[in-house]
Amino acid sequence: VGHVGDGNFHSTIVYDPTKKEDYKIIREFSNNLIQKALELDPNFQDALNCYAHNLRLTLRNYEKAIEVYTKLIEINPQYEYAISRRGICKRELKDYKGYLEDFNKSISVNGGKMEKGDYISRSIIKRNLKDFDGVIEDLLEARKLGEIDSFDYEKLGQAFIEIGNLEKSLEFFEKAIQVELAKSDKKNRNVPFPLLYRVYDSYVSALIKIGEYRKASKLLMEMKSHFPEKVRTLELINILGKKLMTFPDYEINEDERNIIMEYLDSIKI
């Protein structure tokens, strides 16, 4: 079903969605229609956009989609949609440098103002590029614009570890745990959110590295209460227990005594 009268050709295709062979025929028809439009006008932006859309989402031919988006951008350098979607294609090809360039360009043509979500999204790209100073900068900027999630606090902690600032990382691991536990309380969940396990792992590991055994043992007992069967929980108990055993004159507290006893029990033959 179609009509031609306003300078465009519109078509509505009726088919049975339960028949896969029909879908294949319609997809071929749609692609042929786009190609015909481009034969008549190679710079027809609507057709180019549809073509790039099909390449990206249906065929997952990201290299060819990048070519088409690039042509769209050459026709209209301010076409933010094409710039951002070209960046997404580069991300799928793990070209994170190109993705960052297009991400920044799309922000620029859209007025240059960044929202909290923009900073968080860009921090993920920078993390893939191992630009941990950039990750910290963007997440701290996002935090100025509103509360960020536990995931972002955890990534801040990890970024500070990567640049060698273990002490600073602890501040953000602590905040991540607080946010995750608050989420669990609000939803009346008996089992904490999965991210909490990872945060505990990062936090306890950092504390052990800088010799904060007392705080590490307290958190490890908390971690064990939430995740008693996790392998990493038992690994950390062994690591910390071994560390504590090297300080015979160290005045231990109850948490640390529990860690040592579990460690000794784990190495019994």
Side-chain angles (χ1 to χ4, degrees), residues 48-189:
L48 285 169
N49 207 16
C50 287
Y51 185 31
H53 183 84
N54 283 339
L55 288 167
R56 178 171 65 89
L57 295 179
T58 305
L59 302 176
R60 297 184 182 179
N61 186 342
Y62 301 115
E63 293 93 342
K64 185 65 178 177
I66 288 171
E67 290 180 18
V68 180
Y69 282 127
T70 299
K71 184 169 183 178
L72 278 164
I73 296 164
E74 289 171 354
I75 296 169
N76 179 5
Q78 302 300 307
Y79 194 5
E80 189 272 336
Y81 180 89
I83 296 168
S84 63
R85 295 312 183 272
R86 184 177 69 177
I88 290 171
C89 291
K90 291 177 180 179
R91 180 194 66 193
E92 294 299 323
L93 296 173
K94 300 190 186 308
D95 175 13
Y96 297 117
K97 183 178 179 182
Y99 182 25
L100 180 60
E101 289 172 355
D102 278 345
F103 185 91
N104 287 333
K105 187 173 182 179
S106 70
I107 294 292
S108 177
V109 301
N110 209 26
K113 184 179 179 181
M114 290 182 64
E115 304 293 338
K116 182 177 73 171
D118 296 324
Y119 282 111
I120 292 172
S121 296
R122 193 169 69 179
S123 76
I124 296 171
I125 306 173
K126 290 181 178 180
R127 190 168 71 246
N128 284 317
L129 289 168
K130 300 189 184 304
D131 175 12
F132 298 108
D133 287 310
V135 171
I136 292 168
E137 180 183 2
D138 276 348
L139 287 178
L140 291 179
E141 285 298 321
R143 195 184 185 196
K144 292 178 184 177
L145 297 175
E147 186 60 72
I148 58 177
D149 198 10
S150 50
F151 176 84
D152 305 309
Y153 281 118
E154 194 259 347
K155 291 308 172 190
L156 267 170
Q158 289 289 357
F160 274 109
I161 285 178
E162 293 291 344
I163 66 171
N165 192 339
L166 288 174
E167 287 80 2
K168 189 66 175 175
S169 74
L170 304 182
E171 172 188 339
F172 296 107
F173 289 142
E174 177 89 32
K175 185 64 177 175
I177 287 175
Q178 291 173 5
V179 173
E180 277 298 290
L181 289 175
K183 281 184 188 177
S184 188
D185 291 341
K186 284 180 181 179
K187 293 184 177 290
N188 296 317
R189 291 170 57 117

Side-chain angles (χ1 to χ4, degrees), residues 13-19 22-24 26:
I13 307 167
V14 181
Y15 73 104
D16 184 348
T18 64
K19 295 181 179 179
D22 282 6
Y23 181 81
K24 183 179 178 182
I26 290 164

Side-chain angles (χ1 to χ4, degrees), residues 216-225 255 258-259 262:
S217 62
K218 179 179 181 298
L219 282 167
L220 194 44
M221 286 292 97
E222 290 179 15
M223 183 179 181
K224 184 173 181 290
S225 71
D255 286 335
N258 290 334
I259 294 290
E262 291 202 30

